[in-house]
Every structure is written in C-alpha cells, then in structure tokens.
Amino acid sequence: MTIAELAKDFTGLLKQGDDEGAAGKYNADDIVSYEAQEGPMAVSRGREALKQKGEWWRANHEVHGGSVEGPFVNGDQFAVRLKYDLTPKSTGERVTMEEVGLYTVKDGKIIEERFFY
C-alpha cells in the first residue's frame, strides 16, 4: 500500500466518523502524538496512550457535527483538515474547533501525528 493509498483510507474512515477504526488499523505500536498545547496530553507515546487520550476527548466533548478535508500527501507525510461543531462538557458552550493533523508514515503505519490549531 502506498502512502497516498493509506492516507486516503485513513481519511475515509475519519470521514465516516470512525476515528477509532482508523487508529486501530494504521497507528504504529510506538506512535507519538503532539498537541499544540501544554499539559499532560501535550505528548502521548504509544498506541495505548493515544487510545486513552481519545477516550478522554470523547468523554469530555459532545460532538454535534464536523467535516474532514484531505488527505494532502507529500512524501512520507499527509495532512488532514478537521473541523468540529462541539460542546466541551466543562463549559457547556458550543464552539467550532478547527485543526490540521499532520501524519508521518513508516513501514505502512503512522508513527507520528502532530496537531495544529
């Protein structure tokens, strides 16, 4: 599978709302995730840590809708633009969140993800 094919399939799963399926299929065991913020989840290492981060995110946000654009492929990386209509449960205030995810692929697996927002 080429990186373009992997990126297309990964992004297709995201567009279907199956972020857990996308991660399960393509995340490397030793994946590293970087968020554009300080705090305990600024850097997460390993498949299990990313799973826990995703579970925390879903438990703390009510998602009303959103969109996924891409993938945009360059070499061993691809980017995806994500837009969410959500309500953080901590504030109860409905907001629009936009971010770009940059994914690096090696040996058919995503080894790094970086989020920009």
Side-chain angles (χ1 to χ4, degrees), residues 2 14-15 22-23 27 34 37 44 51 53 62 66 80 83 94 97-98 102-103 109-111 115:
T2 67
L14 295 183
K15 288 178 181 179
N27 283 359
Y34 297 94
Q37 64 184 16
S44 299
K51 181 180 176 190
K53 182 174 86 164
E62 180 183 355
V80 176
K83 186 175 184 179
R94 193 167 178 166
M97 183 185 103
E98 295 185 58
L102 177 64
Y103 301 89
K109 293 291 185 182
I110 297 171
I111 61 167
F115 295 101

Side-chain angles (χ1 to χ4, degrees), residues 55-76:
E55 289 170 354
W56 174 90
W57 198 90
R58 285 184 293 280
N60 287 278
H61 299 88
E62 180 183 355
V63 179
H64 309 290
S67 63
V68 178
E69 296 177 23
F72 307 98
V73 180
N74 184 352
D76 65 347

Side-chain angles (χ1 to χ4, degrees), residues 71-92:
F72 307 98
V73 180
N74 184 352
D76 65 347
Q77 296 181 311
F78 67 95
V80 176
R81 183 173 183 251
L82 305 158
K83 186 175 184 179
Y84 298 100
D85 172 15
L86 60 85
T87 302
K89 292 179 181 177
S90 62
T91 66

Side-chain angles (χ1 to χ4, degrees), residues 4-5 8 21 26 29 33 39 47 56 62 76 78 92 95 100 105:
E5 291 167 336
K8 183 178 179 182
Y26 291 113
D29 290 340
S33 178
R47 184 187 285 260
W56 174 90
E62 180 183 355
D76 65 347
F78 67 95
V95 297
V100 172
V105 178

